Amino acid sequence: MPLTVLLVGYPLAPVGPDAVGGAEQVLSMLDEALSRGGHRSIVVAPEGSACAGTLVATPAPPPGAVLDEAARERAFGHHRSAVARALDRYPIDLVHLHGVDFDRYLPEPGVPVLATLHLPPSFYSPAVFRLERPRTFLHCVSATQRRACPPEARLLPDIPNGVRLERYRPRRYKRGFALALGRICPEKGYHVAVEASVRAGVPLLIAGQAFGYEAHTRYLQEVLLPMLRGPGPVRRFIGPVGLARKRRLLGAARCLLVPSLVQETSSLVALEALASGTPVIALRGAGALPEIVEHGRTGFLVDGAAEMAGAMARVDSLDPAACRRAAEERFSAATTAAAYLETYRRILREG
């Protein structure tokens, strides 16, 4: 039977093919998969979002707005109203929440709810792991993330992330630059990538967006941009990139650097790099990256900038075809979407 699913994103980030955040990209993938599969997708997300299903838009913060606590509270209120409107208007079978603050706009008891934990458990309110709302289910996206959850958390089986393989293709010839790509904020550790680039003498492109949080914009202006100046290999910050440019960059790069300083639950950009035939060099302690990178085959796991620089010198020994095969065998969006659909049906059968 076709389902009607309400997908609810983070209140301050638009969703769509060009979305920066991993949670927004996963939501966009599910929206497309549901629509293609004959189901109905209803999406609650900020204005400017692009979706295959029906968008229930909430007000988006103006460009350059400071995303302080007052802005967050306003966004929570808009999302609560939008979720209530959607439940009143459409015959929703299940609500699927993706925001880190989903407990702030959780629907009233009734319709079953699935919440995907896209971020490290420490990023969530402790209350989300002991919710009393009936028919409310949580799950993780990796084994590493699940192990970090409180022992009392009741979790459905993990659903690892996947990427749309048809969007990415290996290039026959690589160019000489390394690439780092994603949200620009302190915990993503781009300064480590810059230091590694200088040590290795390898050009570096950093692509991504610093959202309007004070700590993020300060990191960009006061830490990252000054490090890009000075002698050594070319180092450039090229700002946000859409899907088409991201595909070109991932296909052309000699390697992707993932210098994250937090316990990543997954890494969509690492999956996209592998699908593009591009090896990944990641910090060994970056959460779930060892579940993605096969050391010595599809990339390298390293400790610190010095080892990252050494790995950049050895990356040409890796086979791009092996990277692509790993993506095809382990990280397909079709497999991920099918797992979500089966989880939806399980909840509806057992709930």
Side-chain angles (χ1 to χ4, degrees), residues 210-233:
F211 290 94
Y213 302 101
E214 181 184 1
H216 298 189
T217 55
R218 186 169 62 247
Y219 174 72
L220 174 63
Q221 296 297 329
E222 299 180 9
V223 177
L224 190 57
L225 292 181
M227 291 184 70
L228 302 183
R229 298 189 285 268

Side-chain angles (χ1 to χ4, degrees), residues 3-182:
L3 301 179
T4 300
V5 179
L6 178 61
L7 301 169
V8 184
Y10 177 59
L12 295 171
V15 303
D18 290 335
V20 175
E24 289 72 44
Q25 292 179 53
V26 171
L27 189 157
S28 179
M29 179 271 292
L30 286 173
D31 166 57
E32 290 188 11
L34 287 168
S35 299
R36 285 198 309 267
H39 305 281
R40 189 170 191 184
S41 170
I42 313 295
V43 178
V44 170
E47 297 166 340
S49 295
C51 60
T54 301
L55 176 64
V56 179
T58 57
V66 175
L67 302 181
D68 55 14
E69 189 59 31
R72 285 163 47 84
E73 288 295 334
R74 288 193 296 271
F76 295 154
H78 294 315
H79 250 44
R80 281 192 291 270
S81 297
V83 169
R85 289 199 310 274
L87 287 170
D88 184 61
R89 181 173 181 181
Y90 302 102
I92 304 297
D93 293 302
L94 180 140
V95 177
H96 189 176
L97 302 166
H98 292 265
V100 67
D101 41 26
F102 70 86
D103 55 314
R104 304 297 298 273
Y105 37 88
L106 195 64
E108 293 295 321
V111 64
V113 166
L114 174 67
T116 298
L117 305 177
H118 290 281
L119 297 176
S122 61
F123 283 36
Y124 294 85
S125 165
V128 308
F129 297 102
R130 49 178 187 271
L131 291 170
E132 297 182 358
R133 183 190 185 278
R135 307 174 77 196
T136 303
F137 304 88
L138 312 179
H139 82 94
C140 294
V141 298
S142 66
T144 299
Q145 181 192 29
R146 186 180 68 250
R147 288 193 294 268
C149 287
E152 70 274 12
R154 297 190 301 273
L155 302 169
L156 296 182
D158 307 337
I159 302 179
N161 288 333
V163 294
R164 285 164 279 202
L165 298 172
E166 69 278 5
R167 289 185 171 177
Y168 302 93
R169 285 285 180 268
R171 286 178 49 153
R172 178 171 297 182
Y173 302 106
K174 296 288 188 181
R175 295 175 61 186
F177 67 90
L179 177 67
L181 174 64

Side-chain angles (χ1 to χ4, degrees), residues 182-225:
R183 289 186 300 112
I184 306 300
C185 54
E187 63 265 25
K188 292 299 184 181
Y190 293 109
H191 55 284
V192 177
V194 177
E195 181 182 346
S197 163
V198 173
R199 285 174 176 264
V202 173
L204 173 67
L205 296 182
I206 299 176
Q209 182 174 354
F211 290 94
Y213 302 101
E214 181 184 1
H216 298 189
T217 55
R218 186 169 62 247
Y219 174 72
L220 174 63
Q221 296 297 329
E222 299 180 9
V223 177
L224 190 57
L225 292 181

